[in-house]
Amino acid sequence: MAYQISGECIGCNICISSCPNQAITNQDGEYWINPLLCNNCEGFFPEPRCLSLCPDSAPQPYEAMKGRNRAIVGRIRSSPPLFLNGQNQAFASSIVVWETCNFLSQLQSLPLEQQANNQVCYHKSVSHDQGSLTLCGAGIPEGATADVRAACLHLIFAAYATGLEVPWKESFVCTDQQLESYLGWDKRKDLSKIARLNLLMTWVEQVCQIKATIDWPSQGRVKGFSVPSGSLWTLLKMQRHFQKDEQGCNHLVGLTWVIQPGEWTRYFLNRQGCRRREAFYQYGSLPLSLLQAVMSYWQHHEGAVRLLLWLLFKVRMGRQQRLTVPTLMRVAYGEERLQEAHLNLQERKRLVRTFESDLEILNHYGLKPEFDPLTYPPNLQPLWARLEAVPEDADEALDFWIEDANNGGSLTASGPRGKWGLLMQARIQRFHLPPDWRAQPVQDPKASASGSGSRRRRKAKSASAPTASERSRTPAEISEKQALGSEKLLSGGDISAARRQRGISQRELAQRLGRSQSWVRDVENERFQIGSNDHKRLLKALHSDPGQQQA
């Protein structure tokens, strides 16, 4: 049973120094016992230490506060909210942020060096061993695993940092209400208020304890530099907000953090330095749906969560990632479990089932994998991927299953013999990205836009003037040419309407494109965003004649 301090406390501070769990805090004369840390001094003393030492018997058995929380007054003014468009937000995406995200989410699988004071360090070489990046986390005992959800707060801090003009000199302020809304907790009722606040305090403390040491080589015009060991995020202040009950006991109802980005932002998030070719300004797009997906999947699909966080940075490095299955398994489950699967048949089967289930979670989220047809053929793919080829139309589905049965039921057949060895050679060409993963530009308020208006007007005027060949075409030919040459991508609903208007089935359109029917269905349902080349091929297939397409 936890305890709480009533209003009869005289402020002698005896309980703070004597608490073995460090559950008692004092902020501006307000005493509070964290009920999630207080365990009645079990394992230390026969009775609660605060109760036995207090001269006025101020500690009382804890009772949850009844009624609604009053509005918090006196809170520090917070920074502007993120995700104003409801989908994504620009965030610092340099290698420092990426590797720190890996450090928080893959702590159990990275090659770590254990040092004194429960400090573990991760060393990453850059530019073919010409430079290095070292991350150290304090207060992490050997063999412990970090909460993968703490990586979400690290990404949110990276998003706040992009809103600062000089981040290594400025700070940002965030509140528990903002963080809960970003993580999707504002709509959940399975966690109490004190439990959510305690989790946020733990994650913020864990993220702010990570220190980075950077030795960066020269790249282009940017000269080499070194950053001594320092915190990525410095917690300048944490303000607790209390509300008193009828007995004068304080109840924690809110938190506010003041955080300053570290010295690394001087070299990787320096807008002015990037213009002078003295530093980098690297940013990407942080989807709001990713943060909420991590909060939903972390307990039962932790491997899928690690892949989500890793792919957030990996997919920015090119359209064709060509990721091997062993690489994805190492990210999701670690090298030790992968080596165990090589030696143990039962562990091998469990790992394959888990991996295919995690790929299904990614597909359900919107990161649709595109399997390499040579190394990852349909008979090797997961069952859920093969079932996507089944048509939605009932008559077409019946014909499909009859044809599959005549072929020996290859769709639902078990995997081939030696599936593990084949998977170790298989590759995924790329992951199709959801619409909210598109880049979110960072607007520079000091950027000059002079001259751009006149250029746009000249471009629009030249584009609107029809040529002699265009005047000789029919309106249908002109609209078709404009559709094929349009830079604006059509929505999935427009593509579906155009296909139905021309009497083309999803299977027929997929055959014209050389794609699967599930790919066409996902495009029409806007499961991912297609590129400009696929968009042009799609429009050409919709406007072309089937006989010409076969020829």
Side-chain angles (χ1 to χ4, degrees):
M1 177 180 62
Y3 277 78
Q4 59 187 4
I5 299 178
S6 65
E8 300 177 357
C9 177
I10 61 175
C12 63
N13 291 332
I14 295 178
C15 57
I16 296 180
S17 59
S18 61
C19 180
N21 296 315
Q22 299 180 354
I24 306 177
T25 57
N26 177 13
Q27 177 180 294
D28 300 331
E30 299 289 346
Y31 290 84
W32 174 67
I33 300 179
N34 190 337
L36 298 181
L37 296 180
C38 180
N39 65 345
N40 208 13
C41 292
E42 293 182 2
F44 297 97
F45 303 101
E47 62 177 350
R49 194 65 172 167
C50 59
L51 183 63
S52 61
L53 296 179
C54 182
D56 293 318
S57 300
Q60 299 178 359
Y62 173 77
E63 293 183 4
M65 186 180 61
K66 300 179 181 179
R68 293 181 177 270
N69 297 336
R70 296 191 298 269
I72 299 175
V73 295
R75 190 193 286 266
I76 304 174
R77 184 177 181 180
S78 62
S79 299
L82 307 177
F83 306 101
L84 295 179
N85 61 358
Q87 293 185 346
N88 48 27
Q89 173 70 39
F91 80 114
S93 61
S94 64
I95 188 174
V96 180
V97 180
W98 185 7
E99 293 300 335
T100 305
C101 186
N102 293 338
F103 183 78
L104 290 168
S105 60
Q106 305 175 36
L107 187 63
Q108 82 291 344
S109 60
L110 295 176
L112 304 177
E113 297 179 2
Q114 191 73 28
Q115 297 185 359
N117 300 326
N118 288 333
Q119 189 176 27
V120 294
C121 294
Y122 166 59
H123 181 79
K124 173 70 174 181
S125 61
V126 295
S127 297
H128 305 287
D129 294 332
Q130 296 182 15
S132 63
L133 168 65
T134 303
L135 300 173
C136 295
I140 303 177
E142 186 176 2
T145 58
D147 194 331
V148 67
R149 294 174 292 178
C152 292
L153 266 68
H154 167 64
L155 296 176
I156 292 174
F157 292 170
Y160 273 113
T162 57
L164 304 178
E165 183 67 25
V166 188
W168 59 92
K169 293 183 179 180
E170 303 177 33
S171 60
F172 58 87
V173 180
C174 57
T175 66
D176 61 291
Q177 294 177 344
Q178 290 177 330
L179 296 181
E180 288 180 9
S181 64
Y182 303 151
L183 301 176
W185 277 359
D186 52 343
K187 301 178 182 179
R188 294 181 56 178
K189 305 298 181 183
D190 55 337
L191 288 175
S192 63
K193 182 66 175 181
I194 185 63
R196 285 181 285 179
L197 293 176
N198 194 71
L199 283 174
L200 291 177
M201 281 193 293
T202 302
W203 295 340
V204 170
E205 181 181 0
Q206 185 176 0
V207 171
C208 293
Q209 285 180 346
I210 299 178
K211 296 184 177 182
T213 305
I214 306 173
D215 184 14
W216 201 262
S218 299
Q219 288 186 352
R221 297 184 180 179
V222 180
K223 298 180 180 180
F225 55 86
S226 296
V227 180
S229 178
S231 299
L232 267 76
W233 312 103
T234 302
L235 181 59
L236 300 179
K237 183 179 181 180
M238 181 177 67
Q239 184 180 15
R240 298 179 177 89
H241 306 283
F242 299 103
Q243 182 174 327
K244 293 184 180 294
D245 58 12
E246 297 177 353
Q247 299 178 351
C249 299
N250 287 318
H251 294 265
L252 186 66
V253 295
L255 292 168
T256 302
W257 296 272
V258 182
I259 297 175
Q260 179 179 1
E263 186 68 14
W264 63 273
T265 56
R266 183 190 295 270
Y267 302 95
F268 293 97
L269 199 63
N270 189 339
R271 184 182 287 113
Q272 300 298 330
C274 181
R275 291 172 179 168
R276 298 190 299 264
R277 300 296 190 269
E278 298 175 355
F280 303 100
Y281 191 78
Q282 300 170 339
Y283 68 93
S285 178
L286 175 63
L288 179 62
S289 61
L290 180 139
L291 302 177
Q292 300 176 359
V294 171
M295 293 294 127
S296 300
Y297 299 143
W298 74 274
Q299 194 166 12
H300 300 289
H301 300 278
E302 193 168 352
V305 168
R306 294 194 185 100
L307 288 174
L308 268 177
L309 296 172
W310 185 74
L311 288 171
L312 174 64
F313 299 88
K314 183 63 177 179
V315 295
R316 309 298 178 191
M317 302 179 67
R319 288 177 56 87
Q320 297 291 338
Q321 293 94 33
R322 296 191 179 275
L323 304 171
T324 63
V325 170
T327 298
L328 296 175
M329 286 188 174
R330 288 188 183 93
V331 171
Y333 317 113
E335 180 67 27
E336 183 178 351
R337 188 174 177 185
L338 186 61
Q339 293 300 327
E340 184 180 356
H342 281 296
L343 304 176
N344 190 308
L345 177 61
Q346 296 301 323
E347 179 62 25
R348 192 181 309 164
K349 293 181 179 179
R350 283 193 295 268
L351 191 61
V352 171
R353 289 196 298 266
T354 304
F355 178 69
E356 293 181 346
S357 176
D358 289 338
L359 280 184
E360 186 177 10
I361 292 296
L362 296 183
N363 182 74
H364 177 73
Y365 168 75
L367 284 174
K368 181 177 177 61
E370 183 177 323
F371 301 98
D372 182 55
L374 297 178
T375 61
Y376 217 143
N379 64 334
L380 197 63
Q381 296 174 10
L383 179 60
W384 60 264
R386 288 177 281 168
L387 290 178
E388 287 189 347
V390 180
E392 293 183 346
D393 183 75
D395 295 333
E396 293 182 359
L398 179 61
D399 296 337
F400 179 88
W401 285 114
I402 292 176
E403 182 180 354
D404 182 73
N406 294 332
N407 295 331
S410 58
L411 183 65
T412 56
S414 58
R417 188 177 182 86
K419 182 177 181 178
W420 176 260
L422 297 175
L423 279 176
M424 292 299 99
Q425 306 295 327
R427 295 194 304 268
I428 294 179
Q429 290 186 341
R430 61 170 175 164
F431 283 87
H432 295 277
L433 305 182
D436 57 348
W437 280 52
R438 293 194 297 269
Q440 175 73 14
V442 176
Q443 299 294 337
D444 186 1
K446 296 184 179 181
S448 175
S450 61
S452 59
S454 59
R455 285 193 297 268
R456 284 195 298 266
R457 286 191 295 268
R458 287 195 301 267
K459 184 177 180 181
K461 183 177 180 180
S462 61
S464 61
T467 61
S469 59
E470 288 178 343
R471 287 193 295 267
S472 63
R473 291 191 181 98
T474 62
E477 293 175 340
I478 295 177
S479 62
E480 179 178 345
K481 182 177 183 299
Q482 291 175 347
L484 292 174
S486 175
E487 296 181 357
K488 182 179 179 181
L489 300 180
L490 298 179
S491 64
D494 296 335
I495 296 174
S496 177
R499 177 182 59 80
R500 296 177 185 275
Q501 183 179 4
R502 289 163 176 78
I504 305 174
S505 64
Q506 288 183 346
R507 176 183 291 187
E508 183 180 353
L509 181 59
Q511 291 175 352
R512 295 186 184 184
L513 295 170
R515 294 278 191 173
S516 63
Q517 183 177 346
S518 61
W519 185 89
V520 176
R521 182 169 61 247
D522 289 340
V523 170
E524 293 183 353
N525 294 334
E526 298 183 354
R527 292 288 304 278
F528 58 84
Q529 184 71 29
I530 61 175
S532 58
N533 293 334
D534 289 335
H535 183 261
K536 292 179 181 179
R537 291 181 56 198
L538 189 60
L539 290 176
K540 187 175 181 180
L542 287 172
H543 289 87
S544 63
D545 182 66
Q548 297 177 356
Q549 197 74 12
Q550 293 177 359

Short mmCIF file of all heavy atoms in Angstrom, two decimals, residues 510-548:
data_model
loop_
_atom_site.label_atom_id
_atom_site.label_comp_id
_atom_site.label_asym_id
_atom_site.label_seq_id
_atom_site.Cartn_x
_atom_site.Cartn_y
_atom_site.Cartn_z
N ALA A 510 -4.00 -4.88 -64.07
CA ALA A 510 -2.74 -5.40 -63.53
C ALA A 510 -1.94 -6.12 -64.61
O ALA A 510 -0.70 -6.02 -64.66
CB ALA A 510 -3.03 -6.34 -62.36
N GLN A 511 -2.62 -6.84 -65.51
CA GLN A 511 -1.92 -7.52 -66.60
C GLN A 511 -1.30 -6.52 -67.56
O GLN A 511 -0.18 -6.73 -68.07
CB GLN A 511 -2.89 -8.44 -67.34
CG GLN A 511 -3.34 -9.65 -66.52
CD GLN A 511 -4.38 -10.48 -67.23
OE1 GLN A 511 -4.90 -10.09 -68.28
NE2 GLN A 511 -4.72 -11.63 -66.67
N ARG A 512 -1.97 -5.42 -67.83
CA ARG A 512 -1.40 -4.40 -68.71
C ARG A 512 -0.14 -3.77 -68.10
O ARG A 512 0.80 -3.43 -68.81
CB ARG A 512 -2.43 -3.29 -68.97
CG ARG A 512 -3.65 -3.74 -69.76
CD ARG A 512 -4.51 -2.52 -70.08
NE ARG A 512 -5.75 -2.90 -70.77
CZ ARG A 512 -6.64 -2.03 -71.22
NH1 ARG A 512 -6.41 -0.72 -71.06
NH2 ARG A 512 -7.74 -2.43 -71.83
N LEU A 513 -0.15 -3.63 -66.78
CA LEU A 513 0.98 -2.99 -66.10
C LEU A 513 2.09 -3.96 -65.75
O LEU A 513 3.19 -3.53 -65.39
CB LEU A 513 0.49 -2.31 -64.81
CG LEU A 513 -0.48 -1.14 -64.96
CD1 LEU A 513 -1.05 -0.74 -63.62
CD2 LEU A 513 0.21 0.04 -65.61
N GLY A 514 1.79 -5.26 -65.83
CA GLY A 514 2.78 -6.23 -65.38
C GLY A 514 2.89 -6.27 -63.86
O GLY A 514 3.95 -6.61 -63.31
N ARG A 515 1.80 -5.94 -63.19
CA ARG A 515 1.76 -5.92 -61.73
C ARG A 515 0.75 -6.93 -61.23
O ARG A 515 0.01 -7.56 -62.01
CB ARG A 515 1.37 -4.52 -61.23
CG ARG A 515 2.38 -3.44 -61.53
CD ARG A 515 3.48 -3.45 -60.51
NE ARG A 515 4.34 -2.27 -60.61
CZ ARG A 515 5.29 -1.98 -59.75
NH1 ARG A 515 5.52 -2.77 -58.73
NH2 ARG A 515 6.03 -0.90 -59.92
N SER A 516 0.70 -7.10 -59.91
CA SER A 516 -0.28 -7.98 -59.31
C SER A 516 -1.59 -7.22 -59.10
O SER A 516 -1.61 -5.98 -59.04
CB SER A 516 0.22 -8.53 -57.97
OG SER A 516 0.41 -7.48 -57.05
N GLN A 517 -2.66 -7.99 -58.98
CA GLN A 517 -3.96 -7.35 -58.77
C GLN A 517 -4.01 -6.65 -57.41
O GLN A 517 -4.67 -5.62 -57.27
CB GLN A 517 -5.07 -8.39 -58.85
CG GLN A 517 -6.48 -7.80 -58.72
CD GLN A 517 -7.55 -8.84 -58.88
OE1 GLN A 517 -7.27 -9.95 -59.33
NE2 GLN A 517 -8.77 -8.51 -58.52
N SER A 518 -3.31 -7.20 -56.41
CA SER A 518 -3.29 -6.57 -55.10
C SER A 518 -2.61 -5.21 -55.16
O SER A 518 -2.98 -4.29 -54.41
CB SER A 518 -2.58 -7.47 -54.09
OG SER A 518 -1.23 -7.69 -54.49
N TRP A 519 -1.63 -5.05 -56.05
CA TRP A 519 -0.97 -3.75 -56.20
C TRP A 519 -1.94 -2.71 -56.71
O TRP A 519 -1.99 -1.59 -56.21
CB TRP A 519 0.22 -3.90 -57.13
CG TRP A 519 1.06 -2.66 -57.27
CD1 TRP A 519 2.12 -2.30 -56.51
CD2 TRP A 519 0.90 -1.61 -58.24
NE1 TRP A 519 2.64 -1.10 -56.92
CE2 TRP A 519 1.91 -0.64 -57.98
CE3 TRP A 519 0.02 -1.38 -59.29
CZ2 TRP A 519 2.05 0.51 -58.74
CZ3 TRP A 519 0.16 -0.23 -60.03
CH2 TRP A 519 1.16 0.70 -59.77
N VAL A 520 -2.76 -3.08 -57.72
CA VAL A 520 -3.76 -2.15 -58.25
C VAL A 520 -4.79 -1.82 -57.18
O VAL A 520 -5.20 -0.65 -57.02
CB VAL A 520 -4.44 -2.76 -59.50
CG1 VAL A 520 -5.54 -1.85 -60.00
CG2 VAL A 520 -3.41 -3.01 -60.60
N ARG A 521 -5.22 -2.83 -56.41
CA ARG A 521 -6.21 -2.58 -55.36
C ARG A 521 -5.66 -1.64 -54.29
O ARG A 521 -6.36 -0.75 -53.80
CB ARG A 521 -6.63 -3.91 -54.74
CG ARG A 521 -7.70 -3.76 -53.66
CD ARG A 521 -8.30 -5.09 -53.25
NE ARG A 521 -7.30 -5.98 -52.69
CZ ARG A 521 -6.89 -7.11 -53.25
NH1 ARG A 521 -7.38 -7.47 -54.43
NH2 ARG A 521 -5.99 -7.88 -52.67
N ASP A 522 -4.40 -1.82 -53.93
CA ASP A 522 -3.80 -0.95 -52.91
C ASP A 522 -3.65 0.48 -53.42
O ASP A 522 -3.78 1.44 -52.65
CB ASP A 522 -2.44 -1.49 -52.48
CG ASP A 522 -2.56 -2.76 -51.65
OD1 ASP A 522 -3.66 -2.97 -51.10
OD2 ASP A 522 -1.59 -3.52 -51.56
N VAL A 523 -3.35 0.64 -54.72
CA VAL A 523 -3.25 1.99 -55.29
C VAL A 523 -4.61 2.68 -55.25
O VAL A 523 -4.72 3.85 -54.88
CB VAL A 523 -2.71 1.92 -56.73
CG1 VAL A 523 -2.83 3.27 -57.41
CG2 VAL A 523 -1.25 1.47 -56.73
N GLU A 524 -5.67 1.96 -55.61
CA GLU A 524 -7.00 2.56 -55.60
C GLU A 524 -7.49 2.86 -54.18
O GLU A 524 -8.23 3.82 -53.96
CB GLU A 524 -7.99 1.63 -56.31
CG GLU A 524 -7.72 1.48 -57.80
CD GLU A 524 -8.76 0.61 -58.50
OE1 GLU A 524 -9.60 0.03 -57.78
OE2 GLU A 524 -8.73 0.52 -59.74
N ASN A 525 -7.05 2.05 -53.21
CA ASN A 525 -7.42 2.30 -51.82
C ASN A 525 -6.47 3.25 -51.12
O ASN A 525 -6.62 3.50 -49.91
CB ASN A 525 -7.47 0.97 -51.05
CG ASN A 525 -8.58 0.07 -51.53
OD1 ASN A 525 -9.59 0.54 -52.05
ND2 ASN A 525 -8.42 -1.23 -51.36
N GLU A 526 -5.46 3.75 -51.88
CA GLU A 526 -4.48 4.71 -51.37
C GLU A 526 -3.74 4.17 -50.16
O GLU A 526 -3.50 4.86 -49.17
CB GLU A 526 -5.16 6.04 -51.02
CG GLU A 526 -5.79 6.73 -52.23
CD GLU A 526 -6.39 8.09 -51.89
OE1 GLU A 526 -6.41 8.44 -50.70
OE2 GLU A 526 -6.84 8.80 -52.82
N ARG A 527 -3.35 2.88 -50.27
CA ARG A 527 -2.55 2.27 -49.22
C ARG A 527 -1.12 2.79 -49.24
O ARG A 527 -0.44 2.78 -48.22
CB ARG A 527 -2.54 0.74 -49.37
CG ARG A 527 -3.88 0.08 -49.09
CD ARG A 527 -4.19 0.12 -47.61
NE ARG A 527 -3.16 -0.50 -46.83
CZ ARG A 527 -3.04 -1.80 -46.61
NH1 ARG A 527 -3.91 -2.63 -47.16
NH2 ARG A 527 -2.07 -2.28 -45.85
N PHE A 528 -0.63 3.23 -50.39
CA PHE A 528 0.70 3.81 -50.49
C PHE A 528 0.71 4.79 -51.65
O PHE A 528 -0.21 4.83 -52.47
CB PHE A 528 1.78 2.73 -50.66
CG PHE A 528 1.58 1.83 -51.86
CD1 PHE A 528 2.01 2.22 -53.12
CD2 PHE A 528 0.96 0.60 -51.72
CE1 PHE A 528 1.84 1.41 -54.21
CE2 PHE A 528 0.78 -0.22 -52.81
CZ PHE A 528 1.21 0.18 -54.06
N GLN A 529 1.75 5.58 -51.75
CA GLN A 529 1.88 6.61 -52.77
C GLN A 529 2.79 6.09 -53.89
O GLN A 529 3.91 5.69 -53.65
CB GLN A 529 2.48 7.89 -52.17
CG GLN A 529 2.57 9.04 -53.14
CD GLN A 529 1.20 9.61 -53.47
OE1 GLN A 529 0.30 9.55 -52.64
NE2 GLN A 529 1.03 10.16 -54.64
N ILE A 530 2.27 6.06 -55.12
CA ILE A 530 3.06 5.58 -56.25
C ILE A 530 3.94 6.69 -56.77
O ILE A 530 3.67 7.88 -56.59
CB ILE A 530 2.15 5.03 -57.37
CG1 ILE A 530 1.23 6.14 -57.90
CG2 ILE A 530 1.36 3.84 -56.90
CD1 ILE A 530 0.39 5.70 -59.08
N GLY A 531 5.02 6.31 -57.46
CA GLY A 531 5.94 7.28 -58.04
C GLY A 531 5.44 7.83 -59.36
O GLY A 531 4.42 7.40 -59.91
N SER A 532 6.18 8.79 -59.90
CA SER A 532 5.77 9.44 -61.14
C SER A 532 5.84 8.47 -62.33
O SER A 532 4.98 8.52 -63.22
CB SER A 532 6.66 10.65 -61.41
OG SER A 532 8.04 10.27 -61.47
N ASN A 533 6.83 7.58 -62.34
CA ASN A 533 6.93 6.62 -63.45
C ASN A 533 5.76 5.64 -63.45
O ASN A 533 5.16 5.36 -64.50
CB ASN A 533 8.25 5.85 -63.35
CG ASN A 533 9.45 6.75 -63.58
OD1 ASN A 533 9.35 7.76 -64.27
ND2 ASN A 533 10.59 6.39 -63.02
N ASP A 534 5.42 5.11 -62.27
CA ASP A 534 4.26 4.22 -62.18
C ASP A 534 2.97 4.96 -62.53
O ASP A 534 2.05 4.38 -63.11
CB ASP A 534 4.16 3.62 -60.78
CG ASP A 534 5.26 2.60 -60.52
OD1 ASP A 534 5.76 2.02 -61.50
OD2 ASP A 534 5.61 2.38 -59.34
N HIS A 535 2.91 6.24 -62.16
CA HIS A 535 1.71 7.02 -62.47
C HIS A 535 1.54 7.19 -63.97
O HIS A 535 0.42 7.06 -64.51
CB HIS A 535 1.82 8.37 -61.77
CG HIS A 535 0.61 9.24 -61.95
ND1 HIS A 535 0.54 10.24 -62.88
CD2 HIS A 535 -0.59 9.24 -61.32
CE1 HIS A 535 -0.64 10.83 -62.82
NE2 HIS A 535 -1.35 10.25 -61.88
N LYS A 536 2.64 7.45 -64.68
CA LYS A 536 2.56 7.60 -66.14
C LYS A 536 2.17 6.27 -66.80
O LYS A 536 1.37 6.25 -67.74
CB LYS A 536 3.89 8.09 -66.67
CG LYS A 536 4.22 9.53 -66.25
CD LYS A 536 5.58 9.96 -66.78
CE LYS A 536 5.92 11.39 -66.34
NZ LYS A 536 7.25 11.81 -66.82
N ARG A 537 2.75 5.17 -66.34
CA ARG A 537 2.39 3.86 -66.89
C ARG A 537 0.93 3.54 -66.63
O ARG A 537 0.25 2.95 -67.49
CB ARG A 537 3.28 2.79 -66.27
CG ARG A 537 4.75 2.86 -66.68
CD ARG A 537 5.53 1.74 -66.02
NE ARG A 537 4.94 0.45 -66.32
CZ ARG A 537 5.19 -0.67 -65.63
NH1 ARG A 537 5.99 -0.61 -64.59
NH2 ARG A 537 4.63 -1.80 -65.97
N LEU A 538 0.44 3.92 -65.45
CA LEU A 538 -0.95 3.65 -65.11
C LEU A 538 -1.90 4.43 -66.01
O LEU A 538 -2.89 3.89 -66.53
CB LEU A 538 -1.17 4.00 -63.64
CG LEU A 538 -2.50 3.59 -63.01
CD1 LEU A 538 -2.68 2.09 -63.06
CD2 LEU A 538 -2.57 4.06 -61.56
N LEU A 539 -1.59 5.69 -66.24
CA LEU A 539 -2.44 6.50 -67.12
C LEU A 539 -2.38 5.99 -68.56
O LEU A 539 -3.39 5.96 -69.27
CB LEU A 539 -2.00 7.96 -67.07
CG LEU A 539 -2.28 8.71 -65.75
CD1 LEU A 539 -1.71 10.10 -65.82
CD2 LEU A 539 -3.77 8.76 -65.47
N LYS A 540 -1.21 5.57 -68.99
CA LYS A 540 -1.07 5.04 -70.35
C LYS A 540 -1.86 3.76 -70.52
O LYS A 540 -2.48 3.52 -71.55
CB LYS A 540 0.41 4.82 -70.66
CG LYS A 540 0.68 4.42 -72.11
CD LYS A 540 2.17 4.33 -72.36
CE LYS A 540 2.44 3.95 -73.83
NZ LYS A 540 3.89 3.85 -74.10
N ALA A 541 -1.85 2.90 -69.48
CA ALA A 541 -2.60 1.65 -69.55
C ALA A 541 -4.10 1.90 -69.56
O ALA A 541 -4.87 1.17 -70.20
CB ALA A 541 -2.22 0.75 -68.37
N LEU A 542 -4.56 2.95 -68.87
CA LEU A 542 -5.99 3.26 -68.85
C LEU A 542 -6.46 3.83 -70.17
O LEU A 542 -7.62 3.63 -70.57
CB LEU A 542 -6.29 4.25 -67.72
CG LEU A 542 -6.23 3.70 -66.29
CD1 LEU A 542 -6.35 4.84 -65.29
CD2 LEU A 542 -7.34 2.68 -66.07
N HIS A 543 -5.61 4.56 -70.89
CA HIS A 543 -6.00 5.21 -72.13
C HIS A 543 -5.66 4.39 -73.37
O HIS A 543 -6.05 4.76 -74.48
CB HIS A 543 -5.34 6.58 -72.26
CG HIS A 543 -5.89 7.59 -71.31
ND1 HIS A 543 -5.41 7.73 -70.02
CD2 HIS A 543 -6.89 8.51 -71.45
CE1 HIS A 543 -6.09 8.69 -69.41
NE2 HIS A 543 -6.99 9.18 -70.25
N SER A 544 -4.93 3.27 -73.21
CA SER A 544 -4.50 2.49 -74.37
C SER A 544 -5.52 1.43 -74.71
O SER A 544 -6.40 1.08 -73.92
CB SER A 544 -3.14 1.84 -74.08
OG SER A 544 -3.26 0.94 -73.00
N ASP A 545 -5.38 0.89 -75.91
CA ASP A 545 -6.24 -0.19 -76.40
C ASP A 545 -5.62 -1.53 -76.00
O ASP A 545 -4.40 -1.70 -76.09
CB ASP A 545 -6.38 -0.10 -77.92
CG ASP A 545 -7.30 -1.18 -78.46
OD1 ASP A 545 -8.50 -1.13 -78.16
OD2 ASP A 545 -6.80 -2.05 -79.18
N PRO A 546 -6.44 -2.52 -75.54
CA PRO A 546 -5.88 -3.81 -75.15
C PRO A 546 -5.08 -4.47 -76.25
O PRO A 546 -4.05 -5.11 -76.01
CB PRO A 546 -7.10 -4.63 -74.75
CG PRO A 546 -8.15 -3.61 -74.41
CD PRO A 546 -7.88 -2.45 -75.30
N GLY A 547 -5.52 -4.35 -77.52
CA GLY A 547 -4.78 -4.97 -78.61
C GLY A 547 -3.41 -4.34 -78.78
O GLY A 547 -2.42 -5.02 -79.02
N GLN A 548 -3.35 -3.00 -78.65
CA GLN A 548 -2.05 -2.33 -78.74
C GLN A 548 -1.16 -2.70 -77.57
O GLN A 548 0.04 -2.83 -77.70
CB GLN A 548 -2.26 -0.81 -78.79
CG GLN A 548 -3.03 -0.33 -79.99
CD GLN A 548 -3.26 1.16 -79.93
OE1 GLN A 548 -2.92 1.82 -78.96
NE2 GLN A 548 -3.88 1.70 -80.98
#
